[in-house]
């Protein structure tokens, strides 16, 4: 028997444990065997894992690929090129594009663009506003991964529904079987402090952070969980930045609410001191928090389990928009967000190296769990026989420093991770049996990636 692809000489890692000197066999884009290297069949293509770790393909459930309409920042091709280089096999695009993904035809357009140019597999959320409550079933028929509401001000200025409309949207989305996620910040609190700080001449990058206090995030999380408890809707909290918000999620879980949550590598890595050290390039929403909140995020979110998934909130902007040439200038003239697809695995593997979490726990949160939450499992996020042959080979001992943005693959590569040192890196990325990244090069063709089918779970 001969198959299309065999990867040998790896430590295969899943949430259930590790298997040394093992590998994977692939035929027609699906996994046909997982086991000891010497028991795998012959193959047309053989990859030597060189003793590295082979994990289920990484799933990033939160990126801004900017297409359609904002391609000067990023597009499906460049975002998924960065994903391939970063070891990410599936990405999910956010809906604050131009046009906003708030109509069936807008979602169809986003999918069509992805099919034409993506290097890895993809999906998208659709947005809910006051203007499209009646069209939620029609949008769902096109097949989004889920739905999203932006609470408070955010990039793209997508206005949120009022609370009554949110409850109505939850009831409608509950019937679709999909999950509703939130950018969870209280807009009234943020607007108050933003206006006050501007009037007082408080224009430093740290002032942007303080204009969006933890209470704005915590209150929004608690309010959406209360609405979900009332309606029976499944809800998700994107980019949880603070321990206080993680504690609110934990309380919701304890009450039996179907609430899930993600955090990002930058909230676990940095404290708000990065705003004083690197300025506007580190500006993001919600902001990076102080050391106490970060430690509580680790304790409650990671150690105690309130946080289900890891994602990036990958959000490219031009150097001019990020005020790279004037990093400590007027923060209100800068925009929030930065790239993350090529640093998420190095950050998380560095935490593994430091003993903050195990390889198995990292894989659970960065692959299996997001696929489960969003209805893609086991086709994505597993190494089960008969599922998509998506996997990532990582070198967990490779020590390196990100010296310059030129090393990255997005259209615009501003990130506060420039100058940071890591232990761990993706070395090979395989999507449905095709090697799309190896030896430091993206080798897959644009347009190979395809839209992921979704189960309503």
């Amino acid at each position: 028997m001969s198959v299309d692809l065999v990867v040998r000489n790896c430590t295969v890692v899943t949430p259930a444990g590790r298997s040394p000197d093992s590998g994977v066999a692939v035929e027609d884009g699906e996994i046909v065997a997982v086991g000891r290297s010497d028991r795998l069949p012959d193959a047309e293509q053989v990859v030597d894992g060189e003793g590295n770790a082979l994990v289920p393909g990484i799933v990033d459930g939160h990126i801004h690929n900017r297409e359609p309409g904002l391609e000067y920042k990023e597009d499906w091709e460049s975002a998924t090129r960065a994903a391939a280089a970063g070891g990410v096999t599936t990405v999910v695009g956010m809906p604050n594009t131009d046009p906003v993904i708030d109509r069936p035809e807008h979602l169809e357009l986003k999918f069509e663009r992805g099919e034409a140019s993506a290097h890895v597999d993809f999906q998208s959320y659709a947005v809910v506003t006051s203007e499209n409550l009646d069209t939620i079933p029609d949008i769902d028929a096109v097949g989004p991964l889920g739905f999203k509401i932006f609470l408070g001000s955010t990039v793209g200025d997508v206005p949120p529904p009022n609370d009554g409309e949110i409850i109505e949207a939850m009831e409608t989305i509950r019937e679709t079987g999909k999950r509703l996620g939130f950018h969870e910040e209280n807009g009234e609190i943020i607007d108050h402090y933003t206006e006050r700080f501007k009037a007082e001449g408080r224009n430093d990058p740290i002032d942007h952070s303080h204009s969006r206090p933890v209470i704005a995030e915590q209150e929004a999380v608690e309010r959406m969980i209360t609405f979900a408890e009332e309606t029976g809707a499944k809800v998700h909290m994107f980019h949880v930045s603070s321990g206080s918000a993680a504690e609110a999620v934990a309380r919701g879980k304890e009450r039996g609410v179907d609430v899930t949550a993600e955090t990002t590598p930058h909230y676990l890595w940095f404290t708000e001191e990065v705003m004083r050290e690197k300025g506007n390039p580190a500006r993001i929403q919600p902001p990076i928090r102080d050391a106490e909140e970060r430690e509580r995020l680790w304790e409650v979110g990671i150690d105690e389990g309130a946080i289900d998934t890891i994602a990036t909130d990958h959000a490219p902007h031009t150097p001019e928009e990020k005020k790279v040439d004037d990093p400590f200038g007027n923060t209100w003239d800068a925009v929030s967000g930065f790239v993350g697809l090529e640093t998420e695995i190095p950050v998380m593997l560095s935490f593994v190296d430091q003993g903050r979490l195990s390889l198995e726990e990292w894989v659970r949160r960065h692959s299996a769990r997001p696929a489960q939450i969003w209805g893609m499992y086991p086709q994505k996020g597993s190494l089960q026989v008969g599922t998509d042959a998506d996997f990532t080979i990582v070198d967990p001992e490779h020590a390196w420093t990100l010296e310059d943005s030129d090393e990255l693959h997005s259209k615009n590569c501003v990130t506060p991770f420039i100058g940071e040192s890591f232990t761990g890196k993706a070395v090979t990325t395989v999507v449905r049996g095709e090697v799309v990244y190896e030896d430091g090069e993206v080798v897959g063709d644009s347009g190979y990636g395809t839209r992921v089918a979704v189960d309503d779970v």
Side-chain angles (χ1 to χ4, degrees):
M1 174 186 175
S2 179
V3 296
D4 295 334
L5 171 70
V6 162
V7 181
R8 307 182 191 273
N9 191 26
C10 295
T11 296
V12 173
V13 183
T14 70
R18 310 181 193 190
S19 300
D21 192 21
S22 296
V24 176
V26 178
E27 177 74 10
D28 294 330
E30 293 186 349
I31 295 172
V32 294
V34 180
R36 289 184 56 84
S37 294
D38 58 4
R39 297 180 181 176
L40 294 174
D42 295 332
E44 294 181 17
Q45 180 182 8
V46 177
V47 174
D48 183 357
E50 299 181 347
N52 290 316
L54 185 152
V55 305
I58 299 303
V59 177
D60 191 328
H62 188 164
I63 76 159
H64 296 268
N65 68 288
R66 304 302 189 197
E67 190 174 8
L70 301 170
E71 290 87 351
Y72 75 95
K73 296 175 186 277
E74 187 83 298
D75 56 32
W76 273 123
E77 191 282 326
S78 58
T80 56
R81 182 178 357 121
V88 179
T89 59
T90 302
V91 296
V92 188
M94 285 293 166
N96 53 332
T97 51
D98 185 13
V100 172
I101 310 305
D102 62 350
R103 294 286 185 270
E105 58 270 26
H106 296 167
L107 181 59
E108 290 170 348
L109 175 63
K110 193 172 183 76
F111 285 153
E112 289 169 3
R113 296 283 186 87
E115 294 282 359
S117 62
H119 291 270
V120 306
D121 288 352
F122 63 89
Q123 248 290 347
S124 177
Y125 303 106
V127 75
V128 176
T129 70
S130 297
E131 306 300 321
N132 73 341
L133 297 176
D134 293 339
T135 63
I136 289 173
D138 295 330
I139 295 170
D140 182 60
V142 179
L145 193 71
F147 293 86
K148 181 174 184 180
I149 290 176
F150 292 88
L151 301 176
S153 60
T154 189
V155 175
D157 294 324
V158 181
N162 63 43
D163 283 354
E165 291 167 335
I166 291 173
I167 291 172
E168 181 180 335
M170 284 187 178
E171 293 170 340
T172 303
I173 293 169
R174 179 194 64 212
E175 297 306 310
T176 71
K178 297 286 174 63
R179 189 172 293 269
L180 172 61
F182 295 90
H183 176 120
E184 61 278 3
E185 290 182 287
N186 181 303
E188 292 184 5
I189 294 174
I190 292 167
D191 290 346
H192 169 78
Y193 283 107
T194 299
E195 292 170 9
R196 174 179 159 187
F197 287 6
K198 287 180 178 180
E200 294 174 350
R202 297 175 58 178
N203 302 322
D204 292 336
I206 194 67
D207 294 318
H208 171 265
S209 299
H210 293 169
S211 73
R212 308 177 82 97
V214 168
I215 187 60
E217 180 180 39
Q218 179 184 342
E219 187 280 335
V221 170
E222 291 178 335
R223 180 159 42 99
M224 294 307 107
I225 288 174
T226 298
F227 292 173
E229 189 172 29
E230 172 67 20
T231 61
K234 298 184 294 188
V235 295
H236 183 75
M237 303 301 155
F238 290 111
H239 51 44
V240 171
S241 68
S242 64
S244 296
E247 288 171 346
V249 171
R251 289 191 292 271
K253 290 176 182 285
E254 289 170 0
R255 300 205 308 266
V257 179
D258 191 343
V259 53
T260 55
E262 77 177 29
T263 193
T264 71
H266 48 268
Y267 296 131
L268 297 171
W269 184 272
F270 294 112
T271 71
E272 68 174 24
E273 289 306 308
V274 72
M275 303 306 298
R276 297 185 174 95
E277 296 165 359
K278 301 188 179 186
N280 288 318
R283 178 179 148 156
I284 198 162
Q285 296 169 180
I288 295 166
R289 305 299 185 181
D290 64 27
E292 180 181 352
E293 285 290 347
R294 182 186 64 174
E295 191 56 33
R296 290 168 73 194
L297 179 60
W298 267 102
E299 292 174 359
V300 178
I302 303 300
D303 298 342
E304 298 177 14
I307 297 296
D308 297 89
T309 71
I310 302 295
T312 57
D313 194 7
H314 174 88
H317 300 286
T318 67
E320 293 76 19
E321 290 172 320
K322 291 295 294 178
K323 303 300 177 185
V324 169
D325 290 338
D326 187 21
F328 298 100
N330 191 327
T331 194
W332 310 114
D333 295 333
V335 68
S336 292
F338 47 77
V339 298
L341 279 164
E342 295 177 75
T343 51
E344 58 184 311
I345 286 179
V347 169
M348 298 312 296
L349 285 176
S350 296
F351 291 139
V352 171
D353 180 68
Q354 296 163 14
R356 294 301 306 256
L357 75 168
S358 67
L359 274 172
E360 292 87 348
E361 187 58 29
W362 164 59
V363 169
R364 188 180 77 84
R365 282 195 169 95
H366 219 161
S367 181
R369 195 72 184 110
Q372 290 166 347
I373 286 169
W374 294 108
M376 297 183 284
Y377 190 86
Q379 283 301 114
K380 305 299 183 184
S382 83
L383 294 176
Q384 296 181 23
V385 171
T387 65
D388 287 349
D390 294 356
F391 44 87
T392 305
I393 301 175
V394 300
D395 181 350
E397 298 179 356
H398 179 74
W400 65 289
T401 300
L402 180 60
E403 300 285 359
D404 193 272
S405 62
D406 290 344
E407 300 173 41
L408 305 176
H409 292 78
S410 286
K411 279 189 179 181
N412 294 283
C413 298
V414 179
T415 170
F417 284 105
I418 300 296
E420 300 295 309
S421 295
F422 310 102
T423 302
K425 194 171 190 179
V427 295
T428 305
T429 308
V430 177
V431 177
R432 285 178 289 109
E434 291 291 326
V435 177
V436 298
Y437 175 78
E438 64 178 344
D439 298 327
E441 298 290 335
V442 177
V443 295
D445 295 329
S446 64
Y448 175 71
T450 192
R451 176 164 65 100
V452 180
V454 181
D455 293 326
D456 297 337
V457 296

